[in-house]
Amino acid sequence: MKTKCRNLLLLIIICMGCSESDNTFQGEDNRSEFFKPVDPKTEVNRFSRELNINGQNIEGEMPIATNMDNTIVSGFTTSASITNDNFLFLPVTFADENNVVEALVHIKNADNYWKIPVTPINNSTNLQIGIPSHVLNGTFIVDYLLKKSDGTTSQILETQVGIVSPESECSGFSFPTISGSDGLTVKTYTLPDIGAGNLTITYNTFTIPDRVDVRYNDQWVESTGDLLSEGEAPPVKECRSVSTGDGFIGTANSFELAFDTNISNKLDIYVSGCLNNGTQWTVTVSCPQNDVTSALWYEELPDCPCSLSEIPENNQTPGFDGRWSDSFCYQIFTDTYHYGAETEIRWIPTTQGAGQQCTYDSNGNLITSGIAAGSPDRRSPGGCFPNPEHTSLDVKPWESNNDSTIACIEYLKRWPSNQGNCGNSNPVNDINHITNLIGNMSCEEVTTLFQIGSSAENADFSIVPVELILYLSGQNKNTPTNLLEMLNAVANQLNCSNNDNEQCKVLEKAIKNLTS
């Protein structure tokens, strides 16, 4: 009896302790809904049902039509890669889009399939299959066919799909380079939590045109073609029918992307490889840099020797994994890209990454500023044949008339010449005193302006007055009162009213800068 009383008393005490105030689930439950992870390879039935598809899920095997027409489809992709929480696009092109009204999509070995309405555009469609966030990594096969209004179907198409993890490890200067061929490839990157910053997306589509689209914060933000609208899928094209107007291009270039990981740290790269011609492409995403450190990549490079006589004998700078080189290959381009320099050397990293460039005057002394000064490379050119990334990241912004062109004033800030800790200044073809004259000219255009005013190239001063030569060269940094008059006189001497060469275009810009 005593035992029963003790148990009853203990039960009363426990119940009294369970007051409402201890209930952690009072009010509205704001926890995220839990979805049990699903393996796309071993749980195909549930995986198929839980796909995010704008269509109807139907129980049973996908029906195989008896009236099959193998000529309906002219192109599709046999493999694809995607991350979860993303859309898989299956591109299909038609020989004739007339009367194609729907697609039947089936995950191989599943006991259900999907019926999806189709509205062809330009003899093609992109079947969209949403992969939920709770789907595990793995591979699966999609069987699908297209159906016309009269019941005729295409042959059964088959695409093998791999679900992979987002790329999140960035070592050195970039994430691992991705490459591919035809069809639509989607690569997702998880950016580190560093707040606001920027990164560079470098692509090379070689000679057979492909299209690249970039999505950040669930919005289309960059493209080699017209920017896609919300809800619009990247276009699919056969190689024989692509054009630059479609955004399919065969070239090397890059995008500069600003981001803020306080808003989103998910970045998606979509590459549409044209179909049926063996296309190839590569894409490299640089390591994200926040706004505090993004401009300081060049500070991780070795300092320039103060003179040519101070180049290390073994071409090595202690503490840096690379070598100094004065290869003749570099000298060929010195006068073009660093006008006024006599020679140059470069520090080449052992592994792909940023490099240093140093230029020298006729006395062998380091040039510390001006367009003749060396500029560090976000991607070292390496050997005699510059790699596409160097061209895209370092050369294109210097040149005129392309999507990457920036003002020379800005270029020299982003790619500042190294001072070498030499303790003295040695500017050659400096621009600080002519900023109003050059305005937003590219460095290539500024170089042309210096070439016009070079006393070495104008032995008789009948074309370019000595006063203008002294001003442009910086020997006299006071702006001449008759500067506009002198520029107009030079333009007349060069017959620019009847001439559209680069010199005349630059003079026209300079005159406009002074009069606007």
Side-chain angles (χ1 to χ4, degrees):
M1 184 68 178
K2 289 182 179 180
T3 300
K4 289 183 179 180
C5 289
R6 282 198 303 269
N7 290 342
L8 180 60
L9 180 61
L10 180 61
L11 180 61
I12 292 172
I13 294 173
I14 292 173
C15 291
M16 290 176 64
C18 296
S19 65
E20 276 193 25
S21 61
D22 292 330
N23 186 350
T24 58
F25 296 103
Q26 290 186 63
E28 184 180 354
D29 186 355
N30 293 318
R31 294 174 298 173
S32 299
E33 185 176 0
F34 173 76
F35 292 95
K36 181 182 177 183
V38 56
D39 189 322
K41 190 172 184 178
T42 61
E43 300 176 273
V44 291
N45 295 334
R46 184 163 72 92
F47 169 59
S48 174
R49 291 187 183 91
E50 295 182 6
L51 294 172
N52 296 323
I53 295 178
N54 183 21
Q56 179 185 4
N57 183 254
I58 301 172
E59 294 296 317
E61 292 288 330
M62 181 175 71
I64 300 176
T66 55
N67 52 341
M68 188 176 293
D69 181 357
N70 292 342
T71 66
I72 295 176
V73 172
S74 58
F76 70 103
T77 185
T78 57
S79 62
S81 176
I82 190 72
T83 58
N84 65 18
D85 194 24
N86 222 328
F87 272 98
L88 168 68
F89 294 96
L90 298 178
V92 184
T93 58
F94 315 128
D96 181 5
E97 69 182 32
N98 290 336
N99 300 319
V100 174
V101 294
E102 68 180 19
L104 302 183
V105 176
H106 174 245
I107 304 301
K108 200 173 189 69
N109 298 323
D111 62 3
N112 60 91
Y113 67 97
W114 288 84
K115 181 185 291 187
I116 307 174
V118 171
T119 304
I121 300 175
N122 296 326
N123 286 4
S124 67
T125 190
N126 251 324
L127 303 178
Q128 300 185 31
I129 300 177
I131 308 296
S133 59
H134 62 284
V135 175
L136 302 174
N137 288 357
T139 59
F140 62 95
I141 294 174
V142 185
D143 296 325
Y144 51 107
L145 56 80
L146 299 173
K147 192 173 183 181
K148 299 175 73 172
S149 58
D150 63 3
T152 304
T153 70
S154 70
Q155 72 272 35
I156 296 178
L157 312 175
E158 183 175 289
T159 300
Q160 180 167 304
V161 182
I163 300 179
V164 299
S165 299
E167 198 69 62
S168 59
E169 296 296 326
C170 195
S171 59
F173 292 92
S174 65
F175 291 97
T177 296
I178 62 171
S179 60
S181 55
D182 61 349
L184 186 61
T185 300
V186 183
K187 185 67 176 179
T188 298
Y189 298 82
T190 301
L191 306 181
D193 293 324
I194 60 175
N198 63 77
L199 54 80
T200 302
I201 301 166
T202 305
Y203 59 86
N204 190 351
T205 54
F206 303 103
T207 55
I208 301 176
D210 305 305
R211 176 179 170 124
V212 183
D213 293 280
V214 180
R215 192 170 175 84
Y216 173 69
N217 191 28
D218 292 328
Q219 298 178 45
W220 297 111
V221 293
E222 293 286 357
S223 178
T224 53
D226 292 335
L227 205 61
L228 296 171
S229 302
E230 195 54 43
E232 185 179 5
V236 55
K237 291 278 186 177
E238 293 189 57
C239 296
R240 64 184 180 181
S241 62
V242 300
S243 68
T244 54
D246 302 322
F248 286 80
I249 58 175
T251 188
N253 211 328
S254 64
F255 303 121
E256 294 288 337
L257 177 69
F259 64 83
D260 188 345
T261 55
N262 296 314
I263 298 173
S264 174
N265 62 357
K266 182 184 177 185
L267 171 70
D268 297 311
I269 310 293
Y270 291 71
V271 185
S272 306
C274 68
L275 303 177
N276 298 337
N277 200 18
T279 187
Q280 297 289 325
W281 53 263
T282 64
V283 172
T284 303
V285 177
S286 70
C287 290
Q289 301 289 325
N290 65 29
D291 284 343
V292 176
T293 62
S294 60
L296 305 181
W297 55 273
Y298 46 81
E299 292 190 355
E300 303 299 322
L301 301 173
D303 285 327
C304 291
C306 293
S307 68
L308 290 172
S309 61
E310 298 179 38
I311 299 175
E313 290 185 6
N314 60 357
N315 293 323
Q316 305 286 320
T317 296
F320 294 91
D321 190 11
R323 60 182 175 81
W324 291 100
S325 173
D326 61 355
S327 171
F328 76 93
C329 305
Y330 308 140
Q331 316 307 326
I332 297 173
F333 301 104
T334 301
D335 202 47
T336 300
Y337 293 99
H338 301 276
Y339 184 70
E342 187 70 20
T343 189
E344 70 172 82
I345 63 172
R346 289 180 184 267
W347 180 80
I348 312 297
T350 301
T351 57
Q352 185 186 43
Q356 187 65 277
Q357 182 189 45
C358 317
T359 59
Y360 297 84
D361 61 21
S362 57
N363 295 317
N365 295 319
L366 178 68
I367 299 173
T368 57
S369 63
I371 64 168
S375 52
D377 301 310
R378 297 196 72 146
R379 289 294 182 276
S380 171
C384 289
F385 300 98
N387 59 61
E389 288 189 339
H390 171 65
T391 300
S392 176
L393 293 176
D394 301 301
V395 179
K396 290 288 187 182
W398 184 96
E399 293 177 335
S400 302
N401 303 320
N402 66 70
D403 292 339
S404 301
T405 299
I406 63 174
C408 193
I409 296 171
E410 184 66 22
Y411 185 92
L412 297 185
K413 290 179 182 178
R414 296 191 194 180
W415 284 262
S417 54
N418 182 266
Q419 306 298 299
N421 287 322
C422 303
N424 63 300
S425 175
N426 184 25
V428 176
N429 288 337
D430 204 5
I431 66 171
N432 289 333
H433 65 292
I434 58 172
T435 53
N436 290 336
L437 178 65
I438 64 176
N440 64 351
M441 286 186 190
S442 70
C443 285
E444 183 175 17
E445 291 169 321
V446 173
T447 297
T448 299
L449 186 63
F450 274 107
Q451 289 171 339
I452 293 173
S454 171
S455 58
E457 296 182 12
N458 296 278
D460 68 352
F461 302 115
S462 60
I463 295 180
V464 183
V466 175
E467 189 178 4
L468 181 57
I469 293 173
L470 294 176
Y471 174 63
L472 291 176
S473 66
Q475 297 178 63
N476 176 16
K477 295 187 177 182
N478 295 319
T479 303
T481 56
N482 62 337
L483 177 58
L484 184 59
E485 180 183 337
M486 286 191 291
L487 292 173
N488 278 310
V490 173
N492 289 332
Q493 288 284 338
L494 296 175
N495 194 26
C496 287
S497 59
N498 299 311
N499 204 331
D500 196 30
N501 61 28
E502 291 307 312
Q503 288 185 329
C504 290
K505 289 179 180 178
V506 167
L507 283 170
E508 182 183 354
K509 273 194 173 184
I511 292 169
K512 185 176 180 180
N513 288 338
L514 293 178
T515 56
S516 60

